Amino acid sequence: MVSYILTLVCILVAVAFTTLMERSVLGYIQLRKGPNKVGYMGLLQPFSDGLKLFFKEQTYPYYSNFIIYYFSPVFMLMLSFSLWVLFPYMMNVYNFSFGVLFFLCCTGMGVYGVLLSGWSSNSNYALLGGLRSVAQTISYEVSMALILICMLVFIFSFNFVDFMKYQEYVWFIFFSFPLFFCWFSSCLAETNRSPFDFAEGESELVSGFNVEYSSGGFAFIFLSEYMNIIFMSLLCCVAFLGCDVYSLMFFFKLTFMVFAFIWVRGTLPRYRYDKLMYLTWKMFLPPVS
């Protein structure tokens, strides 16, 4: 239990510095500096942002479904926390024999948080963002699950730790290079990241499903989203890039995958919604099914 709590604390610190990394990388992509004033090289910026967010005024939409409105961000955060039980330790934390099934169940439940937060806000923009997210997440879950099953054929197990044993001499990315890009695209869509960020399309839906949230509620949604991004990056490294959890190189690979999420956001424009659906049902599904 202590190991798991320590893992969660490390993840929350990682989320803070991921936001700093994102703002800095996007700054250099757009030929500007990014945050560099608060503390040395801007290292204290995430903490000042977090404090500012939690001390902001909490809004009370009178026509919202009050209880669901307040508990949706908490539900999303708890779901993201529970995903990190799957970190492939060899000892001290839970050892899941059916970790892959637990992962698929948790990601399937994740769509309810977005849908309920959008619906309970009682706002047209929030509801549209929630509905878009449901369609997108369900569609890409199918292709993501099938791609993961293709990788399970190599290890004959549902345990993430077994990826480490079977990739000791060669990484699975060399066997399934095109599949890796299908998987990465599905991860982008699953975490509502650009170019598939239709649940939060600023140009169309103000801020999407979280438009009515402020202060702590928004912070919980934000934390949940970034924890999912880091976990999906971890899963990329586990399934395709060696899963050598006990080497420092694993965490460099993990950092590079998080950087790839940010890189895509700074480079590609937002997709069109019908093309998003065409991509998963017509392009990803036929090869893997």
Side-chain angles (χ1 to χ4, degrees):
M1 192 63 188
V2 176
S3 303
Y4 178 57
I5 292 169
L6 191 63
T7 304
L8 292 187
V9 171
C10 293
I11 293 307
L12 290 172
V13 174
V15 166
F17 285 107
T18 302
T19 59
L20 179 66
M21 176 177 157
E22 176 164 30
R23 290 176 64 183
S24 300
V25 170
L26 289 177
Y28 280 104
I29 286 173
Q30 296 158 4
L31 300 180
R32 54 187 176 80
K33 286 288 186 187
N36 62 353
K37 298 295 182 195
V38 184
Y40 177 68
M41 288 170 55
L43 287 176
L44 296 178
Q45 184 73 45
F47 302 106
S48 71
D49 285 346
L51 281 172
K52 184 191 78 170
L53 203 53
F54 277 104
F55 283 114
K56 274 189 171 294
E57 182 186 358
Q58 178 71 54
T59 54
Y60 297 97
Y62 284 119
Y63 293 104
S64 65
N65 295 286
F66 198 70
I67 295 174
I68 300 174
Y69 171 81
Y70 274 106
F71 276 100
S72 294
V74 179
F75 172 72
M76 292 168 75
L77 188 66
M78 290 302 115
L79 212 57
S80 299
F81 277 149
S82 61
L83 270 177
W84 282 94
V85 178
L86 292 170
F87 192 97
Y89 287 114
M90 298 292 278
M91 59 190 76
N92 295 335
V93 190
Y94 310 103
N95 184 14
F96 274 91
S97 297
F98 294 98
V100 173
L101 295 181
F102 182 79
F103 162 71
L104 292 174
C105 289
C106 282
T107 50
M109 289 287 288
V111 73
Y112 289 107
V114 178
L115 176 63
L116 290 174
S117 62
W119 174 78
S120 62
S121 300
N122 211 357
S123 159
N124 289 338
Y125 290 129
L127 181 61
L128 282 171
L131 291 174
R132 280 179 169 199
S133 179
V134 170
Q136 177 178 328
T137 308
I138 289 173
S139 301
Y140 275 87
E141 250 169 41
V142 176
S143 61
M144 197 170 72
L146 284 170
I147 291 167
L148 202 52
I149 289 167
C150 290
M151 304 314 295
L152 297 184
V153 171
F154 291 142
I155 64 169
F156 299 107
S157 166
F158 287 102
N159 195 340
F160 283 119
V161 175
D162 288 336
F163 277 104
M164 191 189 306
K165 300 171 188 171
Y166 283 88
Q167 292 186 88
E168 191 174 346
Y169 297 110
V170 62
W171 296 351
F172 286 164
I173 191 172
F174 296 116
F175 300 140
S176 47
F177 193 64
L179 209 59
F180 172 75
F181 289 103
C182 295
W183 167 261
F184 185 64
S185 302
S186 298
C187 287
L188 286 171
E190 191 69 22
T191 50
N192 290 323
R193 290 290 292 179
S194 184
F196 307 126
D197 54 340
F198 292 98
E200 315 169 346
E202 292 89 357
S203 57
E204 303 139 17
L205 300 176
V206 186
S207 181
F209 70 96
N210 56 18
V211 69
E212 298 293 342
Y213 285 95
S214 65
S215 188
F218 180 79
F220 284 168
I221 291 172
F222 191 78
L223 282 171
S224 165
E225 184 179 326
Y226 276 80
M227 282 167 69
N228 288 342
I229 288 167
I230 297 171
F231 187 79
M232 286 300 187
S233 304
L234 172 94
L235 219 55
C236 289
C237 297
V238 165
F240 290 93
L241 298 175
C243 191
D244 44 345
V245 181
Y246 294 112
S247 76
L248 187 62
M249 196 63 196
F250 177 81
F251 295 97
F252 281 120
K253 287 183 286 192
L254 177 58
T255 309
F256 176 76
M257 290 310 301
V258 174
F259 168 74
F261 273 82
I262 300 166
W263 191 7
V264 167
R265 179 181 174 182
T267 311
L268 299 176
R270 187 176 292 134
Y271 229 45
R272 218 172 63 197
Y273 198 80
D274 59 315
K275 288 189 173 183
L276 170 88
M277 291 302 173
Y278 180 86
L279 185 68
T280 182
W281 293 112
K282 296 292 178 71
M283 303 295 288
F284 291 170
L285 270 184
V288 296
S289 58

